[in-house]
């Protein structure tokens, strides 16, 4: 193969991309694990791996590429196709049309396969996918129906119930183990929770609904049948998996069932960036991957970093070297120079905010745009004080790690109308839509849904039905909309416009900022134009929703520049020129709730590692001597005094420049208890008159 295809790759990337033996019409390869350290060109390597397979004759439709976001899937596929098309086009003197039809998230691919094999596994191929919010609402309805919401009982709330259920499914553990390990305060409700979960499963089946967890669970069950597993497996010659460190037990099991010998399986990941255990991600999947197969998988590390300077990488390497279980890797910078990372001590979280604003404005004056700088934090509330100061200084910012676009109430309202039309049995969607009507509460909505069910889920049954007394114009208009949406002659184009026109008067009565929210519905309408039909639109939007822009201070659109605030979990995969990390104290790094559990302590270490490796040129870790804690269960002052993070050991501190901000210096100079007073203000006050 010509060198042009791999001209941009280093030796380790080249080895990973070309692993395997080319054979007639393809590539023969055993299992491969690519350990891609932070900033080592993971996406480029996996894209070139795909290009290598395509150039060697593997058909594009016989490559399955699995990722954790639609954006990552699209980026990887587009890059692979560009590289391949350029190479083949140059070789053949023209362009080569290619499309990776099986590239997507685990959930989106699971959705496609379940619909394909629905008749063989007893599923309705027209099932509706419900998001976490709808799942929680359904759980809440069932809590009420089973008498678990009485005032004299402190039964777990809907999100807690859903969390317990999800942990049982994704970790494949029984409810006793999950309660004992993760929800000990809910142990007394084991019997009731078991009954609730059984009712939840029955309700989903009756309404032809699948939640996120079901997509993986049903895919795994499908693959546990040898015949069906073989049918799915033989569709693909190669399976490529991105971010393997983020897989849970179900996802790893699916891959093992599809590829028992590991043949044609390539996974890419970094155990040092496994930080999603709260989503049931299991770091052991990547740690045990080589010995899962016989013979063991080939392990290829990527260590040349193209993002950060060497002083930042030295710090990250030192931090990771103290991990008790990890693949050993030493990141090396591809460029020289760089300043030493800093550990800044400040008096309080207020001083922390003032210091960061000063540094951000200073870097801006030195030529760094605001959007080239990021402030990262362990928990969302850690930026509260800073946000106040940013607003006061009129510095625009965007905060990541908050609500997603589809979690906004008005957006969910509009989508619920479409979901109800797509699946009239979807009581969660119908319940939400009916309660938008004036004078309609839970009881009347439930009665109307029962009436619809008794009449074969046909919206014609609502033509002569009176849902409430008084003004029924809005009700009649809704019935007309639902009937138009469910007619077979009604094309997809224009359906959201129909929904928007009915919903806008409701929006005006419900929200003071209805103009802004109406703009969101128009944006949703534009997004809808990218999809071929309603079912695809609802499924894809539910599986991989767009993220909200976050909270804005001022108007960043004036100069298209704004500071980035982000939780570390939301910052993974991103990079900035200058990075500031808030509250690097014990209790945050590691989090106080992780103490006492070695596995969670290690994940907290990895979280700090991820934060450090987002920086390209400068990194500042900020350590307030005291900071505000909203959860602090004490009277009066809710501040705590923070010790230096236990992760900043002497070996790690060698790679940090330690500085003290002026606020602490002032305290040290004037605030020492045993210091002889310069003057006696009390005596002066007594003699003033």
């Amino acid at each position: 193969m010509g060198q042009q295809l791999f001209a941009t790759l280093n030796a380790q990337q080249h080895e990973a991309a070309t692993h395997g033996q080319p054979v007639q019409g393809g590539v023969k390869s055993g299992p491969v694990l690519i350990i891609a350290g932070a900033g080592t060109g993971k996406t480029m390597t996996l894209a070139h791996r795909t290009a290598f397979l395509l150039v060697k004759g593997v058909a594009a439709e016989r490559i399955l590429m699995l990722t954790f976001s639609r954006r990552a899937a699209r980026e990887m596929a587009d890059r692979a196709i560009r590289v391949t098309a350029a190479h083949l086009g140059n070789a053949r003197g023209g362009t080569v049309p290619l499309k990776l039809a099986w590239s997507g998230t685990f959930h989106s691919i699971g959705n496609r396969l379940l619909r394909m094999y629905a008749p063989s596994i007893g599923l309705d191929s027209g099932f509706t996918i419900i998001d976490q919010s709808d799942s929680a609402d359904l759980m809440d309805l069932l809590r009420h129906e089973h008498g678990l919401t009485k005032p004299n009982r402190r039964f777990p709330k809907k999100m807690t119930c859903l969390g317990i259920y999800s942990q049982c499914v994704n970790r494949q553990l029984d409810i006793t183990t999950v309660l004992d390990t993760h929800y000990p305060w809910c142990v007394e409700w084991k019997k009731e929770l078991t009954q609730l979960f059984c009712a939840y499963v029955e309700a989903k089946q009756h309404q032809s609904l699948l939640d996120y967890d079901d997509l993986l669970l049903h895919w795994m069950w499908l693959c546990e049948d040898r015949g069906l597993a073989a049918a799915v497996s033989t569709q693909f010659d190669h399976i490529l998996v991105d971010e393997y460190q983020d897989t849970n037990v179900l996802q790893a099991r699916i891959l093992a069932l599809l590829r028992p010998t590991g043949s044609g399986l390539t996974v890419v990941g970094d155990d040092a960036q496994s930080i999603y255990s709260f989503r049931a991600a299991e770091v052991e999947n990547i740690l045990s991957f080589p010995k899962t197969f016989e013979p063991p998988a080939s392990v290829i590390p990527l260590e040349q970093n193209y993002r950060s300077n060497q002083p930042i990488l030295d710090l990250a390497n030192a931090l990771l070297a103290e991990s008790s279980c990890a693949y050993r890797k030493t990141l090396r910078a591809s460029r020289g120079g760089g300043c030493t990372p800093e550990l800044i001590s400040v008096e309080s979280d207020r001083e922390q905010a003032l210091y960061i604003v000063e540094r951000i404005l200073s870097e801006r004056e030195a030529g760094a745009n605001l959007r080239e700088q990021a402030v990262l934090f362990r928990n969302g509330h850690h930026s509260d004080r800073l946000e106040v100061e940013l607003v006061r200084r009129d510095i625009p910012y965007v905060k990541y790690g908050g609500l997603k676009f589809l979690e906004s109430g008005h957006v969910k309202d509009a989508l619920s109308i479409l979901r109800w039309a797509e699946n009239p049995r979807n009581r969660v969607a119908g319940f939400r839509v009916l309660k938008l009507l004036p004078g309609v509460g839970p009881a009347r909505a439930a009665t109307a849904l029962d009436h619809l069910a008794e009449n074969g889920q046909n919206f014609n049954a609502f033509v002569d039905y009176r849902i409430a007394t008084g003004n029924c114009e809005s009700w009649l208009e809704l019935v007309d909309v639902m009937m138009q949406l469910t007619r077979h002659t009604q094309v997809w184009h224009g359906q959201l416009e129909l929904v928007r026109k009915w919903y806008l008067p409701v929006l005006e009565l419900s929200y003071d900022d209805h103009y802004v929210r109406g703009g969101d519905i128009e944006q949703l309408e534009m997004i809808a134009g990218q999809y071929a039909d309603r079912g695809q639109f609802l499924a894809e939007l539910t599986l991989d929703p767009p993220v909200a822009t976050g909270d804005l201070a001022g108007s960043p659109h004036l100069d298209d520049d704004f500071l980035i605030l982000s939780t570390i979990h939301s910052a993974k995969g991103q990079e900035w020129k200058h990075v500031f990390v808030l509250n690097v104290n014990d209790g945050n790094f590691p989090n106080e709730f992780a103490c006492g559990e070695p596995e969670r302590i290690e994940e907290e270490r990895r979280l700090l590692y991820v934060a450090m490796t987002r920086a390209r040129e400068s990194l500042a870790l900020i350590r307030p001597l005291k900071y505000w804690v909203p959860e602090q269960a004490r009277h009066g002052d809710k501040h705590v005094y923070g010790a230096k993070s236990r992760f900043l050991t002497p070996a790690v501190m060698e790679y940090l420049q330690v500085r003290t901000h002026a606020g602490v210096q002032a305290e040290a100079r004037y605030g020492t208890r045993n210091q002889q007073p310069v003057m006696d203000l009390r005596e002066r006050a007594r003699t003033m008159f």
Side-chain angles (χ1 to χ4, degrees):
M1 183 179 298
Q3 292 302 311
Q4 182 182 2
L5 180 61
F6 302 110
T8 58
L9 303 185
N10 63 41
Q12 290 178 327
Q13 292 173 333
H14 185 279
E15 180 186 1
T18 61
H19 183 83
Q21 180 64 39
V23 295
Q24 184 66 33
V27 175
K28 184 179 181 181
S29 170
V32 184
L33 169 60
I34 303 171
I35 296 294
T40 56
K42 165 180 68 68
T43 301
M44 176 182 287
T45 303
L46 198 56
H48 278 77
R49 171 71 174 163
T50 308
F52 171 74
L53 299 175
L54 292 169
V55 169
K56 286 301 181 183
V58 179
E61 67 272 13
R62 296 192 61 79
I63 296 176
L64 173 60
M65 184 181 291
L66 296 166
T67 66
F68 279 85
S69 75
R70 184 169 50 189
R71 181 186 60 81
R74 185 169 55 247
E75 180 184 351
M76 204 109 52
D78 288 349
R79 187 177 296 193
I81 288 170
R82 285 198 304 269
V83 172
T84 307
H87 180 81
L88 293 179
N90 290 336
R92 300 175 186 176
T95 59
V96 180
L98 288 169
K99 182 181 180 182
L100 290 169
W102 287 93
S103 173
T105 65
F106 272 93
H107 290 88
S108 66
I109 297 297
N111 171 50
R112 287 180 63 183
L113 290 171
L114 290 176
R115 293 188 193 278
M116 284 177 59
Y117 290 92
S120 300
I121 55 179
L123 275 184
D124 175 5
S125 60
F127 62 78
T128 297
I129 304 167
I130 55 175
D131 61 18
Q132 187 182 49
S133 177
D134 286 340
S135 298
D137 287 344
L138 179 56
M139 192 75 77
D140 208 28
L141 284 172
L142 296 170
R143 286 169 71 247
H144 181 72
E145 289 178 6
H146 285 72
L148 300 173
T149 56
K150 296 178 180 178
N152 61 336
R153 312 181 79 189
R154 291 188 66 250
F155 190 75
K157 292 188 175 180
K158 60 180 182 180
M159 290 305 296
T160 302
C161 294
L162 188 62
I164 297 169
Y165 172 85
S166 188
Q167 290 285 332
C168 290
V169 173
N170 285 297
R171 295 187 186 276
Q172 288 292 280
L173 297 173
D174 60 81
I175 189 171
T176 300
T177 303
V178 170
L179 290 176
D180 288 343
T181 306
H182 301 286
Y183 299 89
W185 62 93
C186 299
V187 169
E188 63 176 301
W189 301 107
K190 175 187 170 183
K191 180 180 177 181
E192 290 84 352
L193 285 168
T194 302
Q195 294 171 347
L196 178 63
F197 295 163
C198 290
Y200 177 65
V201 171
E202 289 179 6
K204 287 187 296 180
Q205 292 179 354
H206 180 69
Q207 300 175 46
S208 193
L209 306 175
L210 292 186
D211 61 25
Y212 285 152
D213 300 331
D214 290 330
L215 293 172
L216 299 180
L217 182 65
H218 286 63
W219 186 6
M220 185 190 75
W221 285 343
L222 181 155
C223 291
E224 286 181 345
D225 180 274
R226 290 187 179 182
L228 293 174
V232 175
S233 181
T234 53
Q235 286 184 241
F236 310 110
D237 295 329
H238 289 269
I239 301 176
L240 290 80
V241 185
D242 188 24
E243 304 285 9
Y244 188 71
Q245 79 279 349
D246 294 335
T247 55
N248 60 29
V249 172
L250 289 177
Q251 290 157 330
R253 176 67 175 157
I254 288 168
L255 294 171
L257 290 169
L258 289 177
R259 285 293 191 269
T261 65
S263 173
L265 178 61
T266 300
V267 304
V268 182
D270 182 8
D271 57 300
Q273 297 185 67
S274 178
I275 58 174
Y276 294 115
S277 66
F278 64 93
R279 296 181 188 165
E282 180 54 71
V283 69
E284 186 59 29
N285 289 345
I286 193 169
L287 294 176
S288 63
F289 184 85
K291 54 180 178 284
T292 301
F293 306 99
E294 187 59 44
S298 301
V299 180
I300 304 172
L302 304 182
E303 297 177 307
Q304 186 166 343
N305 180 284
Y306 295 91
R307 177 188 299 154
S308 308
N309 60 41
Q310 193 59 51
I312 293 173
L313 297 182
D314 288 340
L315 175 65
N317 289 333
L319 176 71
L320 204 59
E322 301 194 345
S323 175
S324 59
C325 54
Y327 288 103
R328 296 303 170 192
K329 66 182 87 66
T330 303
L331 297 179
R332 304 182 303 274
S334 60
R335 54 192 173 90
C339 55
T340 302
E342 299 172 298
L343 175 64
I344 312 294
S345 294
V346 295
E347 178 184 356
S348 64
D349 49 1
R350 178 179 179 277
E351 290 295 328
Q352 177 176 243
L354 294 173
Y355 170 77
I356 286 177
V357 168
E358 290 171 10
R359 279 286 302 270
I360 286 166
L361 294 177
S362 175
E363 297 292 358
R364 183 173 179 271
E365 289 301 314
N369 292 327
L370 290 176
R371 61 179 177 273
E372 294 181 292
Q373 306 180 62
V375 182
L376 308 182
F377 32 87
R378 176 66 177 80
N379 297 316
H381 68 80
H382 286 176
S383 67
D384 289 351
R385 177 78 75 168
L386 175 60
E387 290 181 59
V388 171
E389 189 62 24
L390 291 172
V391 172
R392 192 179 72 82
R393 300 282 193 100
D394 197 27
I395 300 174
Y397 68 91
V398 176
K399 183 176 180 179
Y400 293 95
L403 282 178
K404 292 185 177 180
F405 177 66
L406 297 191
E407 292 172 352
S408 303
H410 56 293
V411 176
K412 287 188 68 65
D413 288 343
L415 287 175
S416 291
I417 299 173
L418 291 179
R419 289 189 175 118
W420 195 22
E422 184 73 9
N423 177 8
R425 287 183 289 173
N426 187 342
R427 288 181 71 92
V428 175
F431 198 74
R432 186 182 189 101
V433 173
L434 293 174
K435 288 202 299 178
L436 294 174
L437 295 164
V440 177
R444 284 180 172 170
T447 302
L449 290 172
D450 291 340
H451 178 75
L452 183 66
E454 291 165 2
N455 288 273
Q457 308 292 356
N458 190 327
F459 286 105
N460 285 319
F462 282 151
V463 172
D464 298 319
Y465 182 81
R466 295 292 297 273
I467 193 169
T469 57
N471 186 356
C472 61
E473 183 179 351
S474 185
W475 162 244
L476 294 176
E477 290 174 350
L478 175 62
V479 173
D480 182 60
V481 168
M482 299 309 299
M483 291 176 65
Q484 288 191 61
L485 291 176
T486 51
R487 284 180 191 148
H488 293 297
T489 56
Q490 176 72 26
V491 295
W492 165 231
H493 178 72
Q495 288 192 20
L496 247 175
E497 181 183 5
L498 193 67
V499 170
R500 176 172 57 82
K501 287 180 178 178
W502 177 84
Y503 181 62
L504 284 182
V506 178
L507 193 66
E508 291 179 13
L509 293 174
S510 304
Y511 299 100
D512 292 333
D513 58 346
H514 55 86
Y515 289 111
V516 176
R517 294 175 185 264
D520 288 342
I521 307 301
E522 291 177 358
Q523 181 183 356
L524 193 67
E525 197 174 335
M526 288 188 289
I527 294 172
Q530 304 171 19
Y531 295 87
D533 56 62
R534 185 172 65 200
Q536 183 193 25
F537 169 70
L538 291 173
E540 290 296 324
L541 211 62
T542 303
L543 291 171
D544 194 10
V547 179
T549 54
D551 301 317
L552 301 180
S555 177
H557 305 293
L558 295 178
D559 56 5
D560 198 29
D561 193 20
F562 43 83
L563 178 68
I564 304 297
L565 307 184
S566 177
T567 61
I568 299 171
H569 287 99
S570 296
K572 186 169 170 289
Q574 306 298 313
E575 60 180 72
W576 295 276
K577 189 174 183 179
H578 305 291
V579 170
F580 306 88
V581 185
L582 301 184
N583 295 352
V584 185
N585 301 81
D586 236 41
N588 295 318
F589 296 98
N591 185 273
E592 60 182 317
F593 299 111
C595 298
E597 299 182 39
E599 297 85 1
R600 295 190 65 184
I601 290 290
E602 287 304 314
E603 179 166 346
E604 294 293 314
R605 188 194 311 276
R606 297 193 293 267
L607 195 66
L608 183 55
Y609 170 86
V610 168
M612 290 176 174
T613 53
R614 300 310 95 196
R616 293 200 303 268
E617 294 188 9
S618 75
L619 171 67
L621 310 180
I622 320 296
R623 178 205 164 198
L625 297 186
K626 68 175 183 177
Y627 53 92
W628 186 72
V629 180
E631 300 90 350
Q632 195 69 14
R634 61 177 65 173
H635 298 291
D637 190 8
K638 290 188 177 181
H639 285 80
V640 297
Y641 289 85
K644 182 178 67 176
S645 169
R646 71 187 69 182
F647 295 142
L648 302 182
T649 62
V652 174
M653 291 294 292
E654 289 184 15
Y655 299 96
L656 281 166
Q657 179 183 355
V658 181
R659 291 178 49 205
T660 303
H661 187 45
V664 179
Q665 292 174 345
E667 178 185 58
R669 181 177 176 185
Y670 299 114
T672 305
R673 288 186 179 182
N674 298 327
Q675 182 180 345
Q676 196 67 27
V678 178
M679 62 182 70
D680 190 347
L681 294 182
R682 294 175 300 170
E683 177 62 22
R684 185 169 180 175
R686 286 195 298 268
T687 60
M688 185 170 59
F689 297 103

